[in-house]
């Protein structure tokens, strides 16, 4: 049976494709407070601003390309069972070739009903505008898990982590909960590798590669293979 490699990724891997991260700049995301664009209250208060913000992020994503780290992780599938659990809302893992991706915080290329959350639509890189509605007449919103909302894929991700033969963590500070708690779901005998150039939260028994995503993943893949 193939080893199961579970990869937990964060904003650092997308940053190397030119996508902005809000936690690197004092809580701002493209000069907006996250409380103005990433909470249910913000959407209720200023729907037009929130929709415009995510429309801009979607256009930015359309011009971004997966980097070598995305591609190397996808290439692992040639020899191993690989599951990517990502905190990122972009589609760069999929475009890089990954076939099994769990998005903890939603997906920028999807919209959902603001009233009926089970109604989710693939929209690609198109805008969502005021007046765009679901099949039941409610306004569409980004399919994003905002601050203060539940993380519906968390239980599934935890189940996956429990089956890992190796946990690889790339480009995340491990400070955003509940996602950061996934590291505690791994079996005590499973090796853990953390790739991040900064100072992520301490993980017992983890091997650290203090490099950026592209350089660090390349080093890890060469060692692991």
């Amino acid at each position: 049976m193939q080893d199961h490699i579970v990869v937990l990724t964060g904003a650092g891997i997308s940053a190397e494709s030119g996508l902005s991260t809000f936690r690197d700049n004092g809580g701002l995301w493209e000069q907006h407070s996250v409380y103005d664009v990433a909470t249910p209250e913000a959407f209720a208060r200023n729907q037009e601003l929130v929709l415009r913000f995510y429309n801009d992020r979607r256009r930015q994503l359309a011009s971004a390309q997966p980097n070598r780290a995305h591609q190397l992780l996808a290439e692992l599938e040639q020899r191993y069972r690989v599951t990517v659990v990502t905190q990122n809302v972009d589609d760069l893992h999929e475009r890089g070739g990954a076939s099994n991706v769990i998005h903890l915080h939603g997906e920028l290329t999807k919209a959902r009903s603001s009233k009926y959350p089970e109604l989710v639509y693939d929209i690609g890189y198109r805008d969502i505008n005021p007046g765009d509605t679901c099949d039941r007449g409610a306004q569409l919103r980004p399919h994003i898990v905002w601050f203060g909302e539940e993380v519906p894929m968390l239980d599934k991700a935890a189940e996956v982590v429990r089956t890992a033969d190796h946990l690889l963590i790339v480009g995340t500070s491990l400070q955003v909960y509940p996602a950061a708690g996934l590291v505690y779901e791994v079996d005590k005998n499973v090796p853990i590798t953390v790739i991040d150039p900064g100072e992520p939260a301490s993980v017992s028994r983890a091997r650290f590669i203090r490099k950026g995503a592209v350089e660090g993943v390349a080093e890890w893949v060469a060692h692991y293979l």
Side-chain angles (χ1 to χ4, degrees), residues 112-113 115-120 136:
R112 78 168 183 260
S113 171
K115 189 173 181 181
Y116 308 101
E118 70 277 9
L119 296 179
V120 180
R136 298 176 67 179

Side-chain angles (χ1 to χ4, degrees), residues 39-114:
T39 67
E41 294 77 15
F43 189 66
R45 184 172 60 246
N46 194 337
Q47 183 184 108
E48 185 175 349
L49 169 65
V50 173
L51 292 178
R52 184 170 67 246
F53 176 83
Y54 287 96
N55 290 342
D56 289 344
R57 305 286 73 70
R58 218 172 283 112
R59 293 190 197 102
Q60 183 187 50
L61 175 57
S63 63
Q65 297 298 322
N67 59 55
R68 188 58 182 150
H70 295 107
Q71 295 164 349
L72 284 168
L73 294 175
E75 289 170 11
L76 286 172
E77 295 185 19
Q78 297 171 15
R79 295 184 58 179
Y80 303 99
R81 178 184 168 209
V82 180
T83 305
V84 175
V85 179
T86 187
Q87 300 173 70
N88 301 331
V89 298
D90 58 66
D91 63 350
L92 296 179
H93 279 297
E94 289 88 345
R95 283 200 272 146
S99 63
N100 190 13
V101 183
I102 297 172
H103 286 269
L104 287 173
H105 296 155
E107 297 177 68
L108 197 54
T109 57
K110 293 182 178 180
R112 78 168 183 260
S113 171
S114 57

Side-chain angles (χ1 to χ4, degrees), residues 105-145:
H105 296 155
E107 297 177 68
L108 197 54
T109 57
K110 293 182 178 180
R112 78 168 183 260
S113 171
S114 57
K115 189 173 181 181
Y116 308 101
E118 70 277 9
L119 296 179
V120 180
Y121 305 89
D122 287 305
I123 61 168
Y125 308 106
R126 299 193 305 274
D127 287 356
I128 305 173
N129 296 305
D132 291 345
T133 60
C134 71
D135 294 341
R136 298 176 67 179
Q139 173 67 43
L140 290 177
R141 55 161 278 182
H143 184 50
I144 302 294
V145 177

Side-chain angles (χ1 to χ4, degrees), residues 8-13 87 168-176 179-180 194-197 199-201:
L8 177 61
T9 67
I13 193 170
Q87 300 173 70
L168 176 63
I169 301 168
V170 183
T172 173
S173 64
L174 296 173
Q175 295 175 356
V176 180
V194 178
I195 297 171
D196 194 278
E199 294 291 336

Side-chain angles (χ1 to χ4, degrees), residues 171-209:
T172 173
S173 64
L174 296 173
Q175 295 175 356
V176 180
Y177 282 84
L182 289 171
V183 71
Y184 301 110
E185 299 290 341
V186 70
D187 186 271
K188 63 181 181 180
N189 297 316
V190 169
I192 301 172
T193 304
V194 178
I195 297 171
D196 194 278
E199 294 291 336
S202 177
V203 179
S204 61
R205 81 177 189 277
R207 171 191 175 213
F208 282 84
I209 300 176

